[in-house]
Amino acid sequence: MREPYFFTIQECVGMLRSDPVAGLSSAEATRRRQFHGFNEFEVNDPEPIWKKYVEQFKNPLILLLLSSAIVSILMKQFDDAISITVSLVIVVTVGFIQEYRSEKTLEQLSKLVPPTCHVLRDGREHEMLARELVPGDVVLLNAGDRVPADVRLIEANDLQIDESSLTGETEPKHKVTNAIPRQSNGSHVEHMANVAFMGTLACSGRGRGLVIATGSSSHFAKLLEMIQEQESPKTPLQRSMDHLGKQLSIYSFGVIGLIFVIGLVQGRNVLDMFTIGVSLAVAAIPEGLPIVVAVTLAIGVMRMANRRAVVKKMPAVETLGCVTVICSDKTGTLTKNEMTAVVVVTVEGKRAEVTGLGYSLDGGNCTYEGLLVSGWSHPEISAIIEAGAVCNNAAIVGESVIGQPTEGALVVLAKKAGLESCHLAYTRQKEIAFTHENKWMAVQCTNQQGQIMNFCKGATDRIIDICDSYLSADGRRIPLDPQTRKRINDGACAVASQGLRVLGLCRGESMQSLQLLGMVGMWDPLRPGATEAIEVVKSSGVDVKLITGDSRETAQSIGERLGIHSTSDMCLSGQQIEQMSDHDLEMVIRQVTIIYQATPRHKLKIVKTLQTLGEVVAMTGDGVNDAAALKKADIGIAMGISGTDVCKEAADMVLCDDDFSTLEHAIEEGKGIYHNITNFVRFQLSTSVAALSLIAVSTIFHFENPLNAMQILWINIIMDGPPAQSLGVEPVDADIIRQKPRNTKQPMLNGRLIAHILSSAAIIVLGTLCVFYKEMSADNKITPRDTTMTFTCFVLYDMWNALSCRSSRKMIWEIGLLRNRMFCLAVSGSLLCQLAVIYWAPLQHVFQTEALSAYDLVFLTILTSSVFVFNETRKYIELRHGSELPSAGKGDFAPTDIKTT
């Protein structure tokens, strides 16, 4: 049925061929079900578990390691094959478990559809399965019921429905039955006041309605389809690992080809040279890298859990280190969602200040010109406070509110002014609930003398419109003229420009004769640390955009207080975003810091636009309607307290305390993780290149091999073992948060890193060969002492190299020699094992070594420290001359200079 909200009840009944009193007959319902199907979602068949597991092997690095394992088996190098296979199984299993646990969004959506409902069939009320509903059925709704399908209301008695899961708005929606005028923006959920949507919750009242859409035709199905259409993008780390795998594959084939060509030139056996080339290429592949990545990410996940953030997908931890734009909700994330009345203003401009924050009375009072407002000491001010307390449904228990935060603030205000019992003087007879059309709420009461009195509160401009007079300072009733109305409106805008939410209040004997009392300005306190967190995040090159449903004046004021908005920045309303084309929005979105009067449906458009411009986007959200945007964003962040289950399942990360400052810690963690992984790659590849260069040079040019097979195996253990793995758990530098986001378009193995790897490897190879030929020159033959000196020299080079690889940004004395306890234990253990290999007889026999003198050890220690000295000197020069390459990717996309009004 098309646009039923525009038609009257009689027209809807006629189009659906239904009976609003008796409902459909069972036979007719069965016939319609054959045409429309059951009232349930069409969810794609889940992918088999085994297929999800196999898909983990599509990663280029995993495929490269798998190829290496197969080649190792064919060449009978079973030790390499076993170590690579174990590494693969661990990494693939961890990735599979993470992905399997995260894909639960559609299951959560189905929970929002109730299993049963109350329906009129054959003239009688039945409780039946919601899946059996068909268009034309008459559904009965009572407080506490979840709406089973999209329903066009034909009866609504004080019916209020919580649509926060769809619209993000916390106020329940007051429902009506009359048709919506066609000139209104009726196609949006928040404007369809005569429709109850599947999955929403009836908070109060009762109603009756015609089912207009079921299953895949419902509004909820559109959300489901939108979520299914959005593919979660690969994280920057996953893309970096894919690229690294491809690079290593290319380099491996290059090594094989080079050695093969050299063998042909020398006239050597083709098969022998091919075997040597393949062996070296396989040995060069860092099979320990996937383990380090998995362990480093897992540690990051645990650290974030300690900081009240649950990371559902491990690579998402590192993604935050690449984020260039954060789109954040205001209420509850940047503010505490604890409304506090801070000022009371009369119609004639008298201004009473209110102290205290939140729902606590500690240190709170209301004063006018230094005098305490207590009871009715200032009648014109107390009348405003009384109206707010009577026209109210909230209650304060301890220091928390039961009900809406705005109404809770009015209750606390009454307590601060000594008027906490004023509402007891009235008996409520009727309530007119708040709606987005009228933007006010009213109650009709009788006082102790039996007189009728109406109290009303709402948006100041709407309250002014329904009043015909105002209360003067001397208690007289004075008619409202146009000049007075304009003056009051200007005063309300001035209060709103201070970042306050403004409520107008009035009273009267009837709703046709209301007397304006004044207004109350409320402040939602900023979360402690939010301003500082935003300052730190922005200083690191990350843009923060504020998304709120507040007015422009309120949003701008809060944005300025938070340090998000300045006079040179732009603001856009949700309506403007809807009206703009994708190209127009791309032209201005970088200059926009505040999106006001926004709803969740605008978020997906914002995410797509920013990603088109090359930004890495983090998006916060809490409603079902946010799920598509969270899934599409590079990292979706759900609110743990206010977020719906669907939203949490679609997100990559959940903030348990809804606190923005947690994002600062997450960004810091993400940058630290990538830094550690890069350090591991630098160490392992420099060691691999050095070891392979020694063997390759000796083999190709028929030199004596400086290392025997057992010694090479020991070096491989060090390369992939504890010293290398401990680089992945290096504590995060405190100032890494201020580093610019890395350019995700740059590969991990870039020119700068390759230069560092080759320079370190060259020093290790030259130093080791010098020791080898110095020892061998004495008698021109290889002795156990020669290989022991060469072997120990290489191992010590490894240890010094690992020490310098702990940080690419800081000198070793800046990060602290003992800060990484795992590294200290790993290196100490490796050195002790090396000493055992040199001095313990059983191991001397296995490794063909002999004891060295103290002089030999001192000489080797000093010589091998050259790689550490070189790397530290290079770091010092780079840092001193500012030659650290910029890592921010945003410089690649210069925003267009646009002048807007």
Side-chain angles (χ1 to χ4, degrees), residues 496-539:
S497 67
Q498 300 171 19
L500 304 182
R501 181 177 294 176
V502 186
L503 279 184
L505 297 108
C506 61
R507 70 183 181 192
E509 290 78 13
S510 73
M511 291 298 293
Q512 288 71 43
S513 179
L514 293 171
Q515 183 181 28
L516 183 63
L517 301 174
M519 66 189 84
V520 177
M522 299 181 185
W523 170 247
D524 187 0
L526 300 180
R527 277 189 175 274
T531 304
E532 293 79 4
I534 288 172
E535 188 276 324
V536 171
V537 167
K538 290 187 71 175
S539 70

Side-chain angles (χ1 to χ4, degrees), residues 424-542:
L424 299 177
Y426 298 90
T427 303
R428 184 178 296 191
Q429 303 296 326
K430 183 182 177 182
E431 175 183 332
I432 301 176
F434 176 92
T435 71
H436 290 282
E437 284 70 38
N438 57 33
K439 295 190 176 180
W440 51 259
M441 169 197 173
V443 294
Q444 185 183 84
C445 307
T446 55
N447 60 20
Q448 293 172 342
Q449 289 75 40
Q451 296 174 315
I452 294 177
M453 183 63 70
N454 295 277
F455 293 93
C456 187
K457 73 174 189 296
T460 309
D461 57 337
R462 299 299 180 91
I463 293 295
I464 294 172
D465 289 343
I466 63 175
C467 290
D468 60 7
S469 59
Y470 70 90
L471 178 68
S472 68
D474 56 6
R476 291 183 299 116
R477 185 170 190 151
I478 300 176
L480 275 172
D481 55 43
Q483 292 79 13
T484 305
R485 291 177 189 273
K486 183 179 184 306
R487 175 176 57 79
I488 297 168
N489 262 322
D490 291 343
C493 288
V495 175
S497 67
Q498 300 171 19
L500 304 182
R501 181 177 294 176
V502 186
L503 279 184
L505 297 108
C506 61
R507 70 183 181 192
E509 290 78 13
S510 73
M511 291 298 293
Q512 288 71 43
S513 179
L514 293 171
Q515 183 181 28
L516 183 63
L517 301 174
M519 66 189 84
V520 177
M522 299 181 185
W523 170 247
D524 187 0
L526 300 180
R527 277 189 175 274
T531 304
E532 293 79 4
I534 288 172
E535 188 276 324
V536 171
V537 167
K538 290 187 71 175
S539 70
S540 71
V542 180

